[in-house]
Every structure is written in structure tokens, then in C-alpha cells.
Amino acid sequence: MGTTAKEEMSRFWEKNTKSNRPLSPHVSIYKWSLPMAMSITHRGTGVALSLGVSLFGLAALVLPQPFPHYLALLKSLSLGPALICSAKFALAFPFSYHAWNGIRHLV
């Protein structure tokens, strides 16, 4: 019979305690740096973009009306220019950042 995860973990910690090996440093001891923040933001924008595209595709399949109907509905709300520009920025920023950071990484 195989061992359980609990038995494996206790064996691991016993071995490490007997050998007096130091533990690996935890992430919390590192100082924040610009590359670290850019990497986290790149991953976040990648997840946001993939979720957004997936939800948009699912909505296109599930919603009963064609896209122009929903576009006309959005225009009928008469949203102010500040809100429209903010929404455009919120949609364009993740794509732009992710694309340019990917190019930076390749270079």
C-alpha cells in the first residue's frame, strides 16, 4: 500500500529537521521592484483579456438578439463623454499593456 500525504509530509519535515537545512526564503522578504510589478501586471492583464474574450464569445452565443441591437441599446442610455472615455480606456489598457510588455519581453 502507498503512503498518505500526511505521512509523506511528516517524513519530509523529519528529514529536514535532522539535516538542519535552512528553509527557502519566502516571497515576503523580497523588496518590490519594477520588473516584479510589471510581471504581475502582465499576468493579470493576460487573465483579464482571456476572461473578457471568453465571456464576450459566450454572450454572443447565448444572447437572443444580434450585436447591433445591444449597441443601439447602449447608445440609447446617453452616457456622458467622461464615462465613455473611461470605459474605452478600461478596455484598451489591458490589451495595450499586455501587447507592449510581450514585445518588450521578446526583445
Side-chain angles (χ1 to χ4, degrees), residues 29-75:
I29 68 167
Y30 294 112
K31 287 183 356 183
W32 278 86
S33 62
L34 184 61
M36 183 188 297
M38 289 177 71
S39 175
I40 292 169
T41 308
H42 183 77
R43 290 172 192 229
T45 55
V47 168
L49 287 169
S50 60
L51 284 176
V53 167
S54 299
L55 289 175
F56 187 79
L58 183 64
L61 289 173
V62 173
L63 292 174
Q65 300 291 329
F67 181 71
H69 171 76
Y70 297 106
L71 191 58
L73 180 68
L74 189 63
K75 285 182 181 179

Side-chain angles (χ1 to χ4, degrees), residues 4-102:
T4 65
K6 192 172 186 177
E7 292 169 347
E8 287 292 326
M9 286 301 295
S10 66
R11 190 179 316 153
F12 170 78
W13 286 113
E14 284 175 25
K15 185 176 78 171
N16 272 358
T17 305
K18 288 178 185 175
S19 64
N20 289 327
R21 286 187 276 181
L23 293 176
S24 298
H26 193 264
V27 175
S28 64
I29 68 167
Y30 294 112
K31 287 183 356 183
W32 278 86
S33 62
L34 184 61
M36 183 188 297
M38 289 177 71
S39 175
I40 292 169
T41 308
H42 183 77
R43 290 172 192 229
T45 55
V47 168
L49 287 169
S50 60
L51 284 176
V53 167
S54 299
L55 289 175
F56 187 79
L58 183 64
L61 289 173
V62 173
L63 292 174
Q65 300 291 329
F67 181 71
H69 171 76
Y70 297 106
L71 191 58
L73 180 68
L74 189 63
K75 285 182 181 179
S76 71
L77 293 175
S78 300
L79 301 173
L83 187 60
I84 291 175
C85 286
S86 298
K88 286 179 180 180
F89 179 78
L91 291 173
F93 175 75
F95 178 75
S96 301
Y97 182 82
H98 196 78
W100 286 109
N101 199 29

